[in-house]
Amino acid sequence: MLIRPYSPDDWDAVWTILEPVFRAGETYPVPRDISAADAKAAWTSGAKQVFVAVDDSSGHCLGTYYLRPNFEGAASHICNCGYVVSEQARGKGVAARMCEHSQTQAIARGYRAMQYNLVVSTNESAVHLWQKMGFAIIGSIPEAFRHPRLGFVDAHVMYKRLSPPAR
Amino acid sequence: MLIRPYSPDDWDAVWTILEPVFRAGETYPVPRDISAADAKAAWTSGAKQVFVAVDDSSGHCLGTYYLRPNFEGAASHICNCGYVVSEQARGKGVAARMCEHSQTQAIARGYRAMQYNLVVSTNESAVHLWQKMGFAIIGSIPEAFRHPRLGFVDAHVMYKRLSPPAR
């Protein structure tokens, strides 16, 4: 598996990965009926740096993630990421590899911490993976996410320090 | 005191209120050297609905706040606000009145909850006021804010339900 920067030529492959996840509406706070154009803007525009995980031999896209500042100004040392793995590539460690890669990228860019703002509590495999990767649940937002089958469920704010304590 | 929707004609008065707060850099995650144009975009553009609190008799602007969705899609029922009170009008209940007003506006717009993403822990008057207004600290982000005098300080995520429990 190779993780490399996204280029606009990758969009069709990336959208193939994102679309079923956004349409399912169980993990990301994105409108389920979002258009491809709006999804492209949401995933790749602004201050985001986007990466793709591709299969070494076939070149197939296995997953994608973005890295961006989570806040500006006096809190711009905290970054945020979003990760999506292709349905065909689940359970192969792609998310863990992208998470590791994103932390290395974040440290190289001078970020001091990484924060996930809305980890849906019922997405247990994600919650457990991020905990395994060193992220802590620093708070839970009650009924933050309207799950299509489960109704209103909580979501976690998760955080990992990327550098030694400042104090 | 009257609280009414912001109009573009209010910008000069609003900027007079915002500028010293942004320049001080002690409470809002906005670049301290932000230009007036960028501040205008940050405070009034996108999905934000902006209000001003004005003195009934003089018409002077006492404060301003924005209301916006904090997330999209399946979490778009949670809103976010930012409030700034004129330095000359501190201690007169302007923030409390704007907070009440924003909750009424939020409920009218169908929001179910209000979330503040980054309440700087050293901004004790704000933390106490929001608690008095019914907001709970649901988590604290370690060293989230680089305070110009105090260095890295924590910031709180605060939350208030605006409707009865969904379950």
Side-chain angles (χ1 to χ4, degrees):
Chain A
M1 186 190 315
L2 168 75
I3 300 178
R4 61 164 175 78
Y6 163 90
S7 86
D9 288 346
D10 295 316
W11 173 248
D12 287 347
V14 166
W15 178 231
T16 300
I17 292 173
L18 296 179
E19 185 175 14
V21 171
F22 291 172
R23 299 281 178 251
E26 298 188 354
T27 52
Y28 271 84
V30 167
R32 293 179 68 182
D33 61 353
I34 193 169
S35 67
D38 286 351
K40 186 174 184 177
W43 198 258
T44 68
S45 73
K48 297 188 192 78
Q49 296 177 296
V50 185
F51 294 85
V52 288
V54 297
D55 184 286
D56 265 342
S57 47
S58 71
H60 280 151
C61 195
L62 307 175
T64 178
Y65 80 87
Y66 67 76
L67 168 67
R68 62 170 176 182
N70 200 42
F71 303 102
E72 292 188 278
S76 61
H77 55 284
I78 304 179
C79 65
N80 167 250
C81 289
Y83 314 84
V84 173
V85 175
S86 158
E87 287 183 334
Q88 290 76 38
R90 301 274 163 87
K92 296 177 181 174
V94 179
R97 286 284 303 280
M98 290 198 296
C99 182
E100 284 170 1
H101 191 271
S102 68
Q103 292 179 51
T104 303
Q105 290 290 321
I107 290 166
R109 286 164 169 77
Y111 288 111
R112 304 174 61 91
M114 189 176 288
Q115 179 177 331
Y116 304 148
N117 299 307
L118 195 84
V119 182
V120 181
S121 59
T122 50
N123 188 5
E124 293 179 9
S125 60
V127 175
H128 292 154
L129 178 59
W130 305 147
Q131 287 176 317
K132 192 174 153 190
M133 305 297 289
F135 287 77
I137 295 173
I138 59 170
S140 295
I141 310 167
E143 301 178 353
F145 194 88
R146 191 169 203 157
H147 191 286
R149 289 180 293 106
L150 304 171
F152 287 98
V153 298
D154 297 351
H156 304 308
V157 181
M158 301 189 73
Y159 172 95
K160 182 178 179 177
R161 184 195 305 280
L162 300 176
S163 61
R167 288 183 279 234
Chain B
M1 186 190 315
L2 168 74
I3 300 177
R4 61 163 175 77
Y6 162 89
S7 86
D9 288 345
D10 295 317
W11 173 249
D12 287 348
V14 166
W15 179 231
T16 299
I17 293 173
L18 296 179
E19 186 175 13
V21 172
F22 291 172
R23 299 281 178 251
E26 298 188 353
T27 52
Y28 270 84
V30 167
R32 292 180 70 182
D33 61 353
I34 193 168
S35 68
D38 286 351
K40 186 174 184 177
W43 197 259
T44 69
S45 73
K48 297 189 192 77
Q49 295 177 297
V50 185
F51 294 84
V52 288
V54 297
D55 185 286
D56 265 342
S57 47
S58 71
H60 280 151
C61 196
L62 307 174
T64 177
Y65 80 87
Y66 67 76
L67 168 67
R68 64 170 175 180
N70 199 42
F71 303 102
E72 291 189 279
S76 61
H77 56 284
I78 303 178
C79 64
N80 168 250
C81 289
Y83 314 85
V84 173
V85 175
S86 158
E87 286 184 336
Q88 289 75 38
R90 301 273 163 87
K92 297 178 180 173
V94 179
R97 286 284 303 280
M98 291 198 296
C99 182
E100 283 171 2
H101 191 271
S102 68
Q103 292 179 50
T104 304
Q105 290 290 322
I107 291 166
R109 285 165 169 76
Y111 288 110
R112 303 174 61 92
M114 189 177 289
Q115 179 176 330
Y116 304 148
N117 300 307
L118 195 83
V119 182
V120 181
S121 59
T122 50
N123 188 4
E124 292 180 8
S125 61
V127 175
H128 292 153
L129 178 59
W130 305 147
Q131 288 177 317
K132 192 174 153 191
M133 305 296 288
F135 287 77
I137 295 173
I138 59 170
S140 295
I141 310 167
E143 300 178 354
F145 195 87
R146 189 168 204 157
H147 191 286
R149 288 181 292 105
L150 304 171
F152 287 97
V153 298
D154 297 351
H156 304 307
V157 181
M158 300 189 73
Y159 173 95
K160 181 178 181 179
R161 184 197 304 281
L162 300 176
S163 62
R167 289 183 279 235

